[in-house]
Amino acid sequence: EDKQKMLYASRMAVTLGYLIVERSDKVSLTLFDEEVRASLKASNTMGQILKMTETLDQIDPVKKTRIGPSLLDLAGRAGRRAIVVILSDFLVDLTDMEKALQRLLYDKHEVVLMQVMHHDELHFNIPGMVKFVGLEDDDIAEVALRVIHVGQDPAFVLGGGTWLPHEDRLRRHPTRAVV
């Protein structure tokens, strides 16, 4: 699942990079998990697309992502105004991420967020008792899960409330639907 998301995000990054270079603009790449793992300086040559592809091919999604501190580090090094495109599943600490995004915006960068999700993360079609094992650590949680639909979006019933996954922040809503 993580490899599929990484492959899809990599393809999106290289495609966007190609489109940017075709317009004679510069593109750079920074990859991070808990810290910056790889970084390419901005360039507007087709060789940059090859470097991006090679760099992305060498990276495996193995560490827990700390997007807030990594973006703050990026904001400190970014220099002049740029369009910053962030590809992630955004299953992170939203408070840290919000601070980092505010810093990028304060520095007059234009920020574009692109969320990459696996099908199973969007459509939990597994009713009954479920054991969740953390993807980035060994935490385990066993819960009774029911899936209902609120409009077009799936919602998860846990402990008498409904959690809607596609909101700015996960907010608890009273359960009104019966499955």
Side-chain angles (χ1 to χ4, degrees), residues 12 14 42 57-58 60 67 70 74 85 147 157 160 162 166 176:
M12 288 175 56
V14 170
D57 283 345
Q58 295 171 3
D60 283 323
I67 199 168
S70 297
L74 175 67
V85 178
V147 180
V157 179
T162 305
H166 301 295
R176 289 183 174 63

Side-chain angles (χ1 to χ4, degrees), residues 18 21-22 43-51:
Y18 177 82
V21 167
E22 274 290 301
S43 174
N44 62 351
T45 67
M46 280 299 164
Q48 181 76 341
I49 304 306
L50 180 60
K51 289 178 190 173

Side-chain angles (χ1 to χ4, degrees), residues 65-120:
T65 303
R66 292 181 52 226
I67 199 168
S70 297
L71 286 179
L72 283 172
D73 180 39
L74 175 67
R77 294 187 287 134
R80 48 188 292 222
R81 232 179 83 158
I83 299 172
V84 179
V85 178
I86 303 165
L87 300 165
S88 174
D89 57 13
F90 298 109
L91 301 175
V92 297
D93 181 344
L94 296 178
T95 305
D96 281 349
M97 188 175 86
E98 187 175 13
K99 288 176 188 172
L101 292 176
Q102 287 174 351
R103 167 71 193 273
L104 287 166
L105 293 171
Y106 177 81
D107 290 344
K108 305 290 187 218
H109 297 290
E110 199 171 319
V111 180
V112 178
L113 303 176
M114 298 181 126
Q115 188 174 30
V116 180
M117 302 287 287
H118 188 274
H119 179 269
D120 293 344

